[in-house]
Each structure stands twice: as C-alpha cells, then as structure tokens.
Amino acid sequence: MLTLVPTPIGNLSDITLRALQTISKADIILCEDTRVGKKLIELLIERALLELPEDMDTRLFIESKQFLSFHSHNQDDFIAQISPDMFQSNVVYLSDAGTPCISDPGAKLVSWAIAHNLAFDVLPGACALNVAFCGSGIESTPFIFVGFLPHKRLERQSKLLQLAHLHMGEAYSAICYESPHRILETLQDIALLLPHTHIIVQKELTKLHEQRYYGSAGEILSLLEGSIIRGEWVIVFDFAFDKTQKEQTLSYEEALMLDIPPKVKAKILSKMSGKSIKQCYEEMLK
C-alpha cells in the first residue's frame, strides 16, 4: 500500500491524526531528503505529537523504518528500479513540507501506481496554495496555480503576461510560489508589467513571522523596503474581469515584449505611457 502524507509547512501542530497514524505504521518511508524526514519524526516525538510504542525510544523507532530518498532528481531512476512487491509493505511518501505533488515530487509515483493497478491513498493536509488563497480575501473564482515562476527574467516576464491575458470570460486569479532569493526581482517585474494589478503577497505561512501584504506590486515593494527577506513566499494575482480586455488593441505589456529595435520600442512605449523615451529605454534594459 502506498500513502502520500502531507507534512506541516511551518507549524508542527498542523500535522493530522491520520498522518501520524500512517507514519507510525509505515515500513518504508520515502522522503525528498531522508535527513529532513528523520528530523521531522524526531520533532513530532519530542513535542508529544507522535506516540511511540511502549518498547521503543526515538532512535529505535526511526531505525525500525527504512528511509529511502525520492526527489525530483532521482525519481525516474527510482521508479525504473522498483517492483509492485515493494508495496506489499506499508510505503509512505513524505514531502519536506506541504502536500506531495503540489510543486513537489509524487505525481510520477502515483502514475506508476495507477499503471500497475496498485492501491494508494492521498491524505489531505497542509498546503501553502489553499492557505494563501483563503488569506487573499478574493471571493471564490476560477484560479490558476502556476507553481514556481521561471528563474530567468525574460521567461518570468513572459509568464506574467500570459497569466494576465488568459481568456477566462470572468474574474479569475492566479497563484504562484516564489523563493526569498527572487521575490524582490519578481515584484519589480510585476510592478513594471502589471502596475495596476492587485496582488496579495504572503510569506512564512503558519509560522511565527507569517505576514501578508495587499496592494499593487509597487506599493508592496515600498512596504518591504529595508525588510529582511526570508522564508517561502506566495503571490496571489487578482485579475478582475474587464471587458476592455476583449478589444483588439495592443497593451503596454504586449508592446514591451515586441521583437523590434529597442529605440523604436522605447518611442512606442513612451507614446502609450506618457513616460519619457529615456525612461522607457532604461526600463527595457533592466
């Protein structure tokens, strides 16, 4: 039997009773990082959340489980080497934090189980995606989950423009994850390309220093000035439906992505925005 088990994204108390029961009964535990998986179990025991059998201490409990690495870099090789016989034991897959398959490995393992007609279960639990959406204040609308935005700036800018021009026929939102190393660059891109879009930026969800910021990207950048940038971030875009999106006109963002000589592009952008040609040219070079 294979069971996918979500783990807390910051607050250990968010572990579920079913998750604790499943970990306790596991014979084999697949982890993105076995060190992280073992440390999580140690902390759950230390906080009296995971109850040990009477004849075991923490060390013996952990040694009674077989820990195997299963992550994005080895998953293809791992799956190629396993057999259905392995799942006659209780096999658990733990993500480092959050729900498996949501911007984490696990989907290929589930596909393999389906292809081999193997029983599996997916436990509900902590996920930054739904916590962030609920904290956005956006009424239930269609939303797009992007995962992590591209690392390279031009690819990221292209993705942002794509998200802003989806033909949903109604109000919609988009949700993406971002690392502390790129959050400021991403907000700068949003401020440049989507200056009027309302966004909700949330960091370190469920942790002691959890924080939420509401407004345009420019406004949020001002709020973050001088702040220590730590932890994982979630950005929620509120793309309110606007009939003018249906008009066959070229937006500033689309003009910015045109493959034309920079000086010509700067002149076009200047006319569209009211900014100076020099300012538009400098923005393109950032």
Side-chain angles (χ1 to χ4, degrees):
M1 176 74 172
L2 168 66
T3 308
L4 276 64
V5 177
T7 57
I9 58 176
N11 191 323
L12 276 181
S13 296
D14 290 333
I15 193 79
T16 68
L17 292 175
R18 287 184 68 196
L20 292 170
Q21 293 165 359
T22 303
I23 292 170
S24 183
K25 295 177 182 178
D27 300 308
I28 301 171
I29 299 179
L30 309 181
C31 311
E32 290 183 78
D33 186 329
T34 57
R35 295 166 298 181
V36 173
K38 291 176 182 179
K39 184 62 178 178
L40 171 65
I41 291 173
E42 287 176 0
L43 289 172
L44 291 172
I45 295 169
E46 182 182 306
R47 303 282 179 86
L49 295 168
L50 180 60
E51 186 176 347
L52 291 173
E54 292 182 0
D55 59 343
M56 286 189 180
D57 58 16
T58 301
R59 181 182 62 81
L60 288 174
F61 180 80
I62 291 176
E63 289 179 352
S64 71
K65 314 292 183 185
Q66 182 181 5
F67 287 81
L68 300 175
S69 293
F70 181 82
H71 48 73
S72 58
H73 300 294
N74 78 340
Q75 58 182 348
D76 290 333
D77 290 338
F78 185 96
I79 288 172
Q81 296 173 16
I82 59 176
S83 73
D85 293 342
M86 174 181 175
F87 297 91
Q88 292 178 4
S89 302
N90 289 322
V91 180
V92 167
Y93 172 56
L94 298 177
S95 60
D96 281 351
T99 300
C101 308
I102 308 294
S103 282
D104 272 323
K108 288 188 175 182
L109 191 59
V110 171
S111 294
W112 187 89
I114 293 170
H116 290 79
N117 199 30
L118 290 173
F120 68 90
D121 199 2
V122 181
L123 305 190
C127 180
L129 166 64
N130 52 30
V131 175
F133 185 73
C134 292
S136 71
I138 299 173
E139 293 188 37
S140 294
T141 61
F143 69 79
I144 307 298
F145 177 57
V146 185
F148 283 92
L149 289 168
H151 295 185
K152 295 182 179 178
R153 186 168 194 185
L154 287 178
E155 293 177 8
R156 184 169 62 242
Q157 290 179 342
S158 177
K159 176 64 71 174
L160 290 170
L161 291 178
Q162 290 174 15
L163 292 174
H165 293 87
L166 298 176
H167 298 289
M168 303 291 287
E170 58 183 326
Y172 68 96
S173 52
I175 304 172
C176 67
Y177 293 163
E178 192 52 283
S179 77
H181 311 294
R182 290 185 298 275
I183 184 63
L184 293 180
E185 290 182 6
T186 296
L187 288 173
Q188 289 165 2
D189 287 341
I190 298 169
L192 175 64
L193 300 174
L194 308 169
H196 305 298
T197 299
H198 179 72
I199 63 174
I200 304 90
V201 179
Q202 304 171 61
K203 72 165 187 170
E204 299 192 88
L205 292 172
T206 78
K207 297 181 181 179
L208 180 63
H209 299 292
E210 173 183 275
Q211 190 68 50
R212 293 182 172 90
Y213 303 91
Y214 302 82
S216 67
E219 292 169 340
I220 293 173
L221 279 168
S222 296
L223 292 173
L224 292 176
E225 188 174 351
S227 300
I228 298 174
I229 305 300
R230 293 175 179 167
E232 297 299 323
W233 296 68
V234 186
I235 305 172
V236 183
F237 299 81
D238 185 5
F239 294 119
F241 180 64
D242 185 349
K243 291 183 179 179
T244 59
Q245 290 181 350
K246 294 183 178 180
E247 296 177 1
Q248 298 301 310
T249 57
L250 190 67
S251 69
Y252 180 91
E253 295 81 14
E254 290 168 332
L256 187 65
M257 302 302 291
L258 289 174
D259 186 16
I260 57 178
K263 290 184 178 179
V264 176
K265 188 188 298 186
K267 291 180 181 179
I268 294 173
L269 295 173
S270 176
K271 291 287 187 181
M272 295 177 71
S273 65
K275 300 176 184 177
S276 69
I277 295 175
K278 180 180 179 181
Q279 184 180 356
C280 291
Y281 190 84
E282 289 175 347
E283 287 179 348
M284 288 190 299
L285 297 179
K286 289 181 180 179

